[in-house]
Amino acid sequence: MNTVADISALPTPTLVVDLPTVRRNIANMAGYVKSHGLKLRPHAKTHKSHRIGRLQIDAGAIGLTVSKPGEAVVMADACDDLLIAYPAFDAFRAPVLASMAATKTVRVAVDSRHAVDRLAEVATIGGVTIGVLVDLDVGFHRTGVQSPAEALELAKYISLAHSLRLDGLMLFPGHVFTRSESQAGPLAKIASLLQETIDLWKRHGLAATIVSGGSTPTAMQSHLVPQLTEIRPGTYVYNDLNCVAGGWCRLEDCAARVTCTVVSTAVPGKCVIDAGSKTLTSDRRFDAPDQAGFGHVVELPLAKISRLSEEHGEIELNGESPPLLGSRLSVIPNHICPCVNLHDQFWIREDDGRLSASIVDARGRVR
């Protein structure tokens, strides 16, 4: 069953992606970066799909960002230019990157000399060159060197390493998780830190040809950080309830929804769907983690998905009329990226309304 005419023919729970909405989201981001002289390298962790990745490339993206080498290997079928935004340097990951670099442009973000040494070793053995970005912590405090001075020292070290090419800087403004109109101040601090780092490099004869940043929450404000040359938003292609809650998209911009079946109405004031934590994930809404539920039920907007077990989603109706047993409901997840990774395949609602099956090509590629 590769194509169906009606969603009622699909088993549930199943992930359904609306292609016209995806195309609109892609076009909006492509238009933004073009108008501000930026390049787009979207993060494939959201969709993990060759087909969606190719749509992004066809719309002008210069390449794709991935999380791990295993994801890079799969997504290399969609493009020739890949950034691994992760310190991938161990004995299992580094050789994979060196192998890919024989036929693809491969870049890796690092924050340690140890990572540089390991990457240089495998690149030299493989007779290839790997591009390297210095990961600079601009406030999220997850990875990244902690100061412009540390960034300079690591950049110098990379510039002297065999078989590596110093390409620039990478940053992740993940701490800027506010509405767009409140982002100017935090982004100005990031811009100042970047300029200090870039100026320091210049004084020592080094250039940051690439300055890679951005996230979906900050994507449309990236022009407030003029040092950026490219951005790496991921979630924007599908969007989710967290994006709606943050004001970074509208509900109608959420392209991915989980179609579920009502399996019980026995408990007064509630119904149960066949989608639990193994379908929707247990991620909460960032703005109301204790009050909001585990997703938005499109057909029951006042209802709340109050509790998930592995295969059950419990919905408090909150005054909504109980749905019929066996009826279908659609849920917009709080966080779409891990939700996608829970599914082997998804269904694309084509421009003509038909539904076609598509594989989550990089599902489970977490190494």
Side-chain angles (χ1 to χ4, degrees), residues 224-285:
L224 298 179
V225 185
Q227 296 79 11
L228 293 177
T229 64
E230 66 177 40
I231 59 173
R232 311 182 311 276
T235 309
Y236 81 95
V237 71
Y238 288 166
N239 287 309
D240 54 26
L241 205 58
N242 271 324
C243 291
V244 175
W248 311 310
C249 78
R250 306 164 300 171
L251 202 63
E252 56 265 37
D253 298 323
C254 293
R257 305 181 182 198
V258 178
T259 297
C260 316
T261 297
V262 178
V263 296
S264 177
T265 57
V267 177
K270 296 177 72 172
C271 70
V272 178
I273 53 176
D274 59 350
S277 61
K278 288 183 176 178
T279 299
L280 297 171
T281 83
S282 296
D283 283 23
R284 299 282 191 154
R285 220 174 74 189

Side-chain angles (χ1 to χ4, degrees), residues 3 5 9 19 21 35-36 52 76 85 95 104 121-122 124-125 150 171 188 201 211 215 265-266 269 288 339 365-366:
T3 304
L19 185 58
T21 305
S35 68
H36 290 284
I52 304 301
K104 304 285 183 178
E121 179 181 358
V122 297
T124 300
I125 291 171
E150 287 185 32
L171 59 134
W201 283 25
V211 181
S215 63
T265 57
C339 177
R365 295 300 183 111
V366 295

Side-chain angles (χ1 to χ4, degrees), residues 310-338:
E310 291 182 47
E311 302 293 355
H312 301 74
E314 300 176 34
I315 300 176
E316 295 177 4
L317 294 173
N318 293 336
E320 297 277 10
S321 299
L324 295 175
L325 275 173
S327 61
R328 298 290 182 89
L329 298 176
S330 50
V331 176
I332 298 174
N334 285 342
H335 188 185
I336 190 58
C337 304

